Amino acid sequence: MYKSAQGIAGEYGHYALSAVLQQKYQLPILKCGCGLTGCIESYIAGPGLARIYQHFSGEVLTTFEIVEGLRKGDVFCQQSFACYLDLIGSTFAAIIMAYDPEVIVVGGGMSLVDELMSKLEEAIVPYVFADIRVPKIVLAEFGDASGARGAAILAKEQVGALA
């Protein structure tokens, strides 16, 4: 794991939304729960897909309903997912350009969406140099709960170090 001076390295969810993609999709600039404005997390976390869908359709659906609609061929669901995939592809490309990882481990609820995992590498390609190999993309070993498990292990280690 990469250790940074203030322990904030790797907080890619708080990279700014790409201005190019914001303009391409005419996305609203959202306030993030962290207090900043325009964080990509507001768009690419599970609830982000629902926000994107609402932007395109004017209607409110859950992420689960959008994925179901995508699978049934709903036009707004397809449009929203294409935008979502473009945003996450751009974000992962930024991570690749910054850290040049050998592998990208994907967890969280959206990692359970097969359509995302099967198209993620393809979504990254337009945003990296032409001669760059996209690293291997794998599912987190413990699925969508991997982040919470990792945080609990890290907290336990921190408490042990203080004792």
Side-chain angles (χ1 to χ4, degrees):
M1 294 281 284
Y2 180 78
K3 293 216 181 230
S4 65
Q6 298 180 71
I8 60 169
E11 286 285 347
Y12 72 88
H14 302 284
Y15 287 179
L17 169 65
S18 159
V20 170
L21 293 178
Q22 185 276 326
Q23 291 180 4
K24 177 180 177 179
Y25 296 107
Q26 294 296 298
L27 294 169
I29 305 297
L30 302 172
K31 183 90 169 158
C32 180
C34 75
L36 297 174
T37 301
C39 293
I40 194 67
E41 182 171 311
S42 298
Y43 306 87
I44 66 170
L49 180 58
R51 288 183 191 105
I52 293 168
Y53 178 84
Q54 185 175 12
H55 166 69
F56 287 124
S57 72
E59 298 176 13
V60 176
L61 288 183
T62 68
T63 299
F64 298 108
E65 292 169 326
I66 296 164
V67 171
E68 183 178 312
L70 171 70
R71 292 174 178 156
K72 291 179 178 177
D74 179 274
V75 174
F76 283 124
C77 294
Q78 290 174 333
Q79 181 183 24
S80 301
F81 187 74
C83 173
Y84 178 88
L85 199 55
D86 208 8
L87 293 172
I88 201 163
S90 170
T91 302
F92 278 28
I95 295 166
I96 292 166
M97 300 293 273
Y99 295 101
D100 193 19
E102 293 179 33
V103 66
I104 295 176
V105 180
V106 181
M110 289 301 292
S111 70
L112 302 175
V113 178
D114 293 336
E115 293 83 353
L116 171 63
M117 296 307 296
S118 67
K119 295 178 180 169
L120 190 50
E121 181 176 341
E122 180 184 325
I124 294 168
V125 170
Y127 297 103
V128 294
F129 298 136
D131 60 341
I132 297 296
R133 176 189 52 79
V134 173
K136 184 177 180 179
I137 299 171
V138 300
L139 284 170
E141 183 178 350
F142 297 105
D144 62 331
S146 294
R149 289 175 68 118
I153 291 167
L154 186 59
K156 183 178 177 185
E157 288 175 358
Q158 294 293 327
V159 168
L162 296 174

